[in-house]
Amino acid sequence: MAAIFNNDWQNYLQDEFAKDYYTSLKKFLIAEYKNYKIFPDMYEIFNCLHYTSFAETKVVIIGQDPYHEEGQAHGLSFSVKPGIDIPPSLYNIYKELKDDVGCFIPNNGCLVPWAKQGVLLLNAVLTVRAHLAASHKDKGWEKFTDNIINLLNHSDNNIVFILWGSFAQSKSELITNPRHLIIKSPHPSPLSAHRGFFKSKPFSKTNEFLLKSGYSPIDWQIPDL
């Protein structure tokens, strides 16, 4: 089988592709991409893993499923491609970043600079049908991404897991290693951000933990394009 990843995730995940659930998921995806508009592009499904290797993962931000409107999703939770309007949840993340660590609000929503520093931007479901949120839920992706979380739980690194909203927080049962830090708050969506996401200071808390663990902090500033 040809390598899917160009980093250490290949060693950790190659057996997963041979399992029955993934074989069924793959058949489902082939039909979906053939018959419907699916996001992200099939070559961008695993971008979060391509950008952030297992060994270099310092922070995990868990999302639910990809953006489902044209041109947005590119395989990183909460991130959109350059040139696409910043979605409301991400704009609230930027507002909290400004309040927490003084970052200016950039003119784009591309979070690749975070991913390149060890921030794994992981959605629980990695694909979605256009204009139909949660349309690929319960097709097998959750088993795949739960395995990723489980692997990271057993990592020797001290990792920060940022869980925004009840869905992401449901993954906390997979994070049992006391060496890790779990940061929880309401989701940054406009529907819930004022219930405790704002002023929760996840970014400064993350960097404090990384520094105490002997790691370099994350430069949270997304540059203008």
Side-chain angles (χ1 to χ4, degrees), residues 92-104:
N92 283 339
I93 290 169
Y94 284 165
K95 286 171 68 176
E96 177 61 17
L97 260 174
K98 184 178 181 181
D99 185 63
D100 185 9
V101 293
C103 293
F104 66 79

Side-chain angles (χ1 to χ4, degrees), residues 20 22 28 39 48 75 79 81 121 151 160-161 172-173 175 186:
D20 289 345
Y22 196 89
F28 167 77
F39 300 128
C48 70
S79 180
K81 294 180 180 180
L121 296 165
L151 288 165
V160 182
F161 290 85
S172 63
E173 64 187 27
I175 307 161

Side-chain angles (χ1 to χ4, degrees), residues 15-43:
D15 292 344
E16 213 66 15
F17 297 115
K19 292 181 179 178
D20 289 345
Y21 86 86
Y22 196 89
T23 301
S24 297
L25 172 61
K26 186 176 180 180
K27 289 178 181 176
F28 167 77
L29 290 172
I30 289 170
E32 286 285 291
Y33 275 94
K34 181 179 179 181
N35 295 305
Y36 302 97
K37 183 75 172 177
I38 305 300
F39 300 128
D41 181 278
M42 66 175 67
Y43 297 106

